Amino acid sequence: MNSLWFESALLPQGWAARVRLTAANGRIGAVEVGVEATEADERHAIGLPGLPNVHSHAFQRGLAGLTERRGPTDDSFWTWRELMYQFVERMDPDELEAITALAYAEMLEAGFTHVGEFHYLHQDRGGVAFADPAELAARVVAAAAHTGIGLTLLPVFYAHSGFGGLEPTARQRRFVNDPQGFFRIVEASRKAVRSLHGATVGVAPHSLRAVTPEELATVVQLAQGSVIHIHIAEQTKEVEDCVAWCGRRPVEWLLETQALDARWCLVHATHVTETEVRRVAASGAVVGLCPITESSLGDGIFPAAAFLAQGGRFGVGSDSNILLDAAEELRTLEYSQRLAHRARNVLAPTHDRSTGRSLYEAALRGGAQALFPDAGREAVGLKAGASLDIVSLAPDHPALIERREDEILDSWIFAGGRSVVDCVWRGGVKVVSSGRHARRAAIVARYRRALKTLLA
């Protein structure tokens, strides 16, 4: 593929007609507007920049649909977590890679072209260390390479079961590390991603309940200028436990002890005060919202309208991967705000602005910041020099008939979904055609074998 031509494409400056994008080593070499297609062009109707997925636990894709049975007590995030622990206890490296590959193929089919993998499964079954500290990280890298998705690998430091340095439980033994062991994982992960186009490595202290203040400071230093992601204030019990430990709420404590800046992504941040909303927005950090998973787990509703009014930045993630659909994540985000405020088009910033386009462009900007360090954040979007990561939509899909410009995004997000996605290119390679990943059959067959063993 040397050039793509679109009847209509969403460029950084807005919608443009008759757009040609020329490929150059996996990147966009040139953008021409108002030109007619030639025989050399691959022609499509609608072109959009691929969306970043800021937060994924890929292995949890295999658990989707298996936790929807009511337990003997009130179900919650914490009862769900026990079922997740049971699932992961038996998983071997081949099974992890198989499940991750399916998750990544489905992300691409859904319109995500780059993923932030919050990777906390480091040890073998029983908590035994692998000879290669990046054995499982390398399996994530292999799945990304096989599917073609862009990867920001986020090795997770996890050392404790609760605030104040509580000892980890037996079921957390596959996750836990000490600072020295984590350093080796980070270094080995950086080596593992070298062969992947556009890949990078950040760091991820799991949560304030899983690290001590001293360990958090050490992990942040290991970022070496790259991105830093952390789960925070997802559940009310987490907030209550943090207050009991230190007298402050999780986000409040983090703001007081860390120099939050544009490198940070606060995942969930569901339960925040007005003051915390204002201070996080002012810090330049991104909030990583995972609306489908947050709905599934009963986390609560992030005050997105207030955050955006303060100039806050957000990205969206698929987290537990129970349903992979970029449009559905954005729709669920807006609909949660409508339910909370009993209003419509809550996250459109001004009069007569498209809600779909507002959501999409905000998630694109925030996602790029959360997944790419420094200058890499600018290399996103349909512009010269950016990675050639493009999603085309099917114009004959009923949701898009007679839709133009912003109506296209509104209709995809609020009336369509993943079935509207036609083709996807990542790093200049066409990985999805007619809504189907090029390697879907083989990936699903391997996934089926893995699940038959895991769930036997």
Side-chain angles (χ1 to χ4, degrees), residues 24 33 49 56 68-69 71 110 119-120 157 159 193 225 239 243-244 293 297-298 300 310 317 323 326 341 380 431 446:
V33 175
S56 163
E68 306 303 326
R69 184 183 296 268
H119 173 65
Y120 58 82
F157 181 77
V193 304
V239 176
V243 171
T293 293
L297 297 179
Q310 293 286 340
L323 176 66
H341 293 271
V380 174
V431 291
R446 186 180 180 191

Side-chain angles (χ1 to χ4, degrees), residues 51 120 144 156 191 204 311:
L51 199 66
Y120 58 82
V156 173
K191 293 178 182 176

Side-chain angles (χ1 to χ4, degrees), residues 31-164:
V31 180
E32 299 173 82
V33 175
V35 297
E36 300 304 322
T38 69
E39 291 184 1
D41 296 331
E42 183 176 337
R43 305 180 192 188
H44 295 273
I46 302 162
L48 301 170
L51 199 66
N53 179 344
V54 301
H55 189 68
S56 163
H57 306 300
F59 74 86
Q60 292 178 14
R61 180 68 185 91
L63 190 61
L66 296 180
T67 63
E68 306 303 326
R69 184 183 296 268
R70 191 179 180 96
T73 60
D74 288 343
D75 280 335
S76 67
F77 166 86
W78 308 100
T79 56
W80 170 87
R81 189 177 72 162
E82 288 302 310
L83 297 174
M84 184 270 288
Y85 286 166
Q86 292 176 31
F87 179 71
V88 79
E89 280 178 337
R90 301 179 58 189
M91 192 178 297
D92 70 18
D94 286 342
E95 291 158 351
L96 173 71
E97 185 178 336
I99 296 170
T100 301
L102 179 68
Y104 289 173
E106 291 183 333
M107 286 178 198
L108 288 161
E109 292 173 345
F112 289 118
T113 52
H114 196 105
V115 60
E117 184 60 35
F118 200 92
H119 173 65
Y120 58 82
L121 185 59
H122 299 307
Q123 317 298 350
D124 201 353
R125 288 171 292 191
V128 178
F130 288 103
D132 177 0
E135 169 66 36
L136 296 181
R139 297 307 187 109
V140 171
V141 172
H146 188 63
T147 58
I149 200 166
L151 178 66
T152 295
L153 183 60
L154 299 161
V156 173
F157 181 77
Y158 196 130
H160 306 286
S161 65
F163 291 96

Side-chain angles (χ1 to χ4, degrees), residues 3 50 94 147 184 189 212 231 250 355 360-361 376:
S3 57
D94 286 342
T147 58
R184 291 191 290 272
S189 296
T212 64
H231 290 138
T355 302
Y360 198 84
E361 291 187 328

Side-chain angles (χ1 to χ4, degrees), residues 184-393:
R184 291 191 290 272
I185 289 171
V186 171
E187 289 300 298
S189 296
R190 286 174 175 148
K191 293 178 182 176
V193 304
R194 286 176 183 169
S195 62
L196 281 183
H197 167 76
T200 189
V201 174
V203 296
H206 179 272
S207 57
L208 295 185
R209 68 179 186 271
V211 303
T212 64
E214 296 77 18
E215 290 164 344
L216 176 61
T218 298
V219 171
V220 169
Q221 288 298 315
L222 291 178
Q224 298 179 1
S226 191
V227 295
I228 305 162
H229 289 221
I230 186 170
H231 290 138
I232 196 161
E234 180 179 2
Q235 286 279 319
T236 53
K237 182 180 185 300
E238 177 188 347
V239 176
E240 292 162 359
D241 289 350
C242 188
V243 171
W245 165 60
C246 69
R248 283 164 290 179
R249 300 164 58 87
V251 173
E252 179 186 15
W253 186 92
L254 191 68
L255 285 162
E256 290 180 3
T257 61
Q258 296 294 320
L260 293 195
D261 56 24
R263 298 175 301 155
W264 286 79
C265 179
L266 309 189
V267 181
H268 305 305
T270 313
H271 302 286
V272 285
T273 65
E274 290 182 9
T275 299
E276 290 166 349
V277 164
R278 174 177 51 79
R279 292 184 63 192
V280 171
S283 76
V286 173
V287 171
L289 301 175
C290 307
I292 294 175
T293 293
E294 288 154 4
S295 299
S296 169
L297 297 179
D299 288 344
I301 300 173
F302 174 76
F307 184 63
L308 293 181
Q310 293 286 340
R313 308 171 189 182
F314 76 87
V316 293
S318 59
D319 197 346
S320 63
N321 296 306
I322 56 172
L323 176 66
L324 285 155
D325 191 327
E328 178 73 13
E329 294 289 358
L330 296 173
R331 178 165 65 245
T332 303
L333 173 58
E334 167 67 22
Y335 279 3
S336 70
Q337 304 302 304
R338 296 185 185 191
L339 290 168
H341 293 271
R342 296 185 295 281
R344 300 191 71 250
N345 297 308
V346 175
L347 299 182
T350 58
H351 169 71
D352 206 32
R353 281 291 303 274
S354 155
T355 302
R357 181 172 169 188
S358 299
L359 288 167
Y360 198 84
E361 291 187 328
L364 183 67
R365 291 191 300 268
Q369 178 180 318
L371 297 183
F372 299 102
D374 301 328
R377 298 168 191 156
E378 300 302 318
V380 174
L382 304 188
K383 59 186 178 182
S387 180
L388 204 158
D389 299 351
I390 305 174
V391 175
S392 73
L393 303 182

